[in-house]
Amino acid sequence: MENAKKNIVIAGAGFGGVTAALILDKAFYRSQELRDAYQLIIINNHHSHLYTAALYEIAAIPQGHHKLDYIKSSITIPLAAIFHETHVDWREREITSIDRDKKLLTFDNTEELHYEYLILALGSETSYFNIPGAKEHSFALKTFADGIKLRDRVQQLIESGDAEPLRIVIAGAGASGVEVAAEFENFICMLQKHQGKEAICKTEVMLVEATPEILPGFAPWIIEKAKKRLSHIGVQIKTGVAITAVEKDSVSLKDGTKLPFTVLVWAGGVQAASVLKTTGLA
Ligand SMILES: Cc1cc2nc3c(=O)[nH]c(=O)nc-3n(C[C@H](O)[C@H](O)[C@H](O)COP(=O)(O)OP(=O)(O)OC[C@H]3O[C@@H](n4cnc5c(N)ncnc54)[C@H](O)[C@@H]3O)c2cc1C
């Protein structure tokens, strides 16, 4: 049976959700009235908070350098640790629908939870803009598992020698795409040297961006500095041309050209978490 107290529920334990929960927790410490009337609950589909800003580094740690558990612990913080000795009750659940009229959440295990107040902090998911083949033939970089999957594929290609030169195309030159491009240029070169390959550092890393410049929205001086640095380390940049379709080993561009790739990383954009469609808000 549900508690007689009303629930303040935070959906999502990313940066937004965790911050909201900890701020509310302070208010709970201060107010007996709040503690008597409400229960503070945070719901997340993983039992840990993911520090996304370091994901591109995870994708560039060679296999065998560290155990997977160790790598994971460097980029995730267990919710149990974050909310230890707080008023926040955390639960690992996938929210499958949100009924704003009934103030009711439904989870993937069919459990339900009523709320009095709901904070939506569900973040975003990768958007493929309905580009045919984009999802099927690319690697995303949104979760810990994504990072490891990408790393494993690149390392396997280098070790097997199946693809030389290795062509990495990165779709989207926002902050994530630029970070991956720079990191991979070094990572792949390091792996190839380690393999004692003759043609060391024979890698093509290319950023493809639909808008006229890389890092859309950033200050011009930052864009110039980033372009200079990327070019210095060998990253190729193609801007002002959108990807219209993706096949197994090539992307088609709006200007009619095709770019072959060995690995395509999709950093092309994000959209609201899909469960928000059940709220009428997205
Ligand atoms: C590779 C990468 C690098 C980045 N680097 C930077 C950086 O250097 N600096 C910077 O400021 N930003 C960076 N960002 C962006 C940053 O990660 C986001 O802006 C930030 O995570 C948004 O926080 P949020 O709390 O809104 O959402 P999120 O952090 O995405 O948190 C949402 C949470 O809700 C959970 N969730 C989603 N749907 C459900 C559901 N149905 N049921 C239960 N739980 C659900 C998710 O699993 C997640 O834990 C980066 C992002 C990526 C992908």
Side-chain angles (χ1 to χ4, degrees):
M1 205 176 77
E2 272 184 30
N3 197 309
K5 290 182 188 179
K6 291 183 172 169
N7 294 326
I8 299 175
V9 177
I10 298 156
F15 294 104
V18 167
T19 305
L22 293 177
I23 288 172
L24 282 170
D25 179 57
K26 281 191 186 151
F28 270 59
Y29 266 111
R30 287 193 298 264
S31 166
Q32 179 70 46
E33 209 179 323
L34 264 181
R35 293 198 295 274
D36 289 343
Y38 296 102
Q39 192 178 2
L40 193 50
I41 302 170
I42 189 163
I43 310 284
N44 200 52
N45 50 11
H46 302 285
H47 55 73
S48 296
H49 166 83
L50 176 68
Y51 184 69
T52 44
L55 257 183
Y56 71 95
E57 292 177 38
I58 295 299
I61 298 175
Q63 284 169 358
H65 269 216
H66 297 291
K67 286 192 173 149
L68 215 53
D69 282 353
Y70 176 80
I71 298 175
K72 197 167 188 177
S73 70
S74 71
I75 195 175
T76 56
I77 311 172
L79 297 182
I82 296 175
F83 298 118
H84 179 61
E85 291 187 347
T86 68
H87 298 95
V88 184
D89 171 13
W90 67 271
R91 299 182 194 173
E92 185 182 2
R93 302 272 189 284
E94 176 83 29
I95 302 167
T96 50
S97 80
I98 301 170
D99 187 327
R100 289 195 295 152
D101 295 329
K102 292 186 187 154
K103 294 189 165 186
L104 184 72
L105 300 181
T106 308
F107 304 125
D108 54 350
N109 62 0
T110 71
E111 248 177 52
E112 293 179 334
L113 180 70
H114 282 278
Y115 61 82
E116 184 63 15
Y117 296 102
L118 174 66
I119 296 176
L120 287 174
L122 292 164
S124 59
E125 49 194 44
T126 304
S127 173
Y128 298 92
F129 305 104
N130 294 322
I131 296 170
K135 187 172 182 184
E136 294 78 356
H137 302 304
S138 69
F139 288 81
L141 194 57
K142 277 292 276 180
T143 65
F144 178 76
D146 288 343
I148 295 299
K149 208 167 129 191
L150 175 59
R151 183 276 307 263
D152 287 353
R153 176 67 179 144
V154 169
Q155 187 153 352
Q156 180 243 326
L157 282 165
I158 290 168
E159 287 175 358
S160 66
D162 282 349
E164 284 182 7
L166 192 60
R167 286 200 184 89
I168 310 271
V169 169
I170 297 159
S176 296
V178 166
E179 280 175 341
V180 175
E183 196 71 26
F184 265 42
E185 193 65 56
N186 291 327
F187 170 56
I188 292 164
C189 188
M190 182 184 78
L191 284 177
Q192 287 173 331
K193 278 183 177 160
H194 191 250
Q195 282 279 303
K197 302 267 176 188
E198 274 176 32
I200 50 169
C201 304
K202 284 282 182 286
T203 305
E204 290 174 21
V205 177
M206 180 183 272
L207 277 164
V208 180
E209 167 60 45
T211 66
E213 281 290 7
I214 64 164
L215 296 173
F218 279 72
W221 69 269
I222 295 178
I223 295 173
E224 281 316 308
K225 218 168 173 173
K227 281 201 313 203
K228 221 168 157 180
R229 178 72 191 144
L230 288 167
S231 139
H232 178 73
I233 61 174
V235 174
Q236 300 170 49
I237 299 173
K238 200 167 177 63
T239 52
V241 60
I243 293 172
T244 51
V246 180
E247 283 165 47
K248 192 169 62 71
D249 49 13
S250 68
V251 292
S252 301
L253 304 181
K254 203 169 181 184
D255 62 9
T257 53
K258 273 194 172 202
L259 289 177
F261 66 78
T262 329
V263 172
L264 175 66
V265 181
W266 196 263
V270 291
Q271 62 190 23
S274 46
V275 69
L276 289 183
K277 288 184 188 136
T278 66
T279 63
L281 294 172

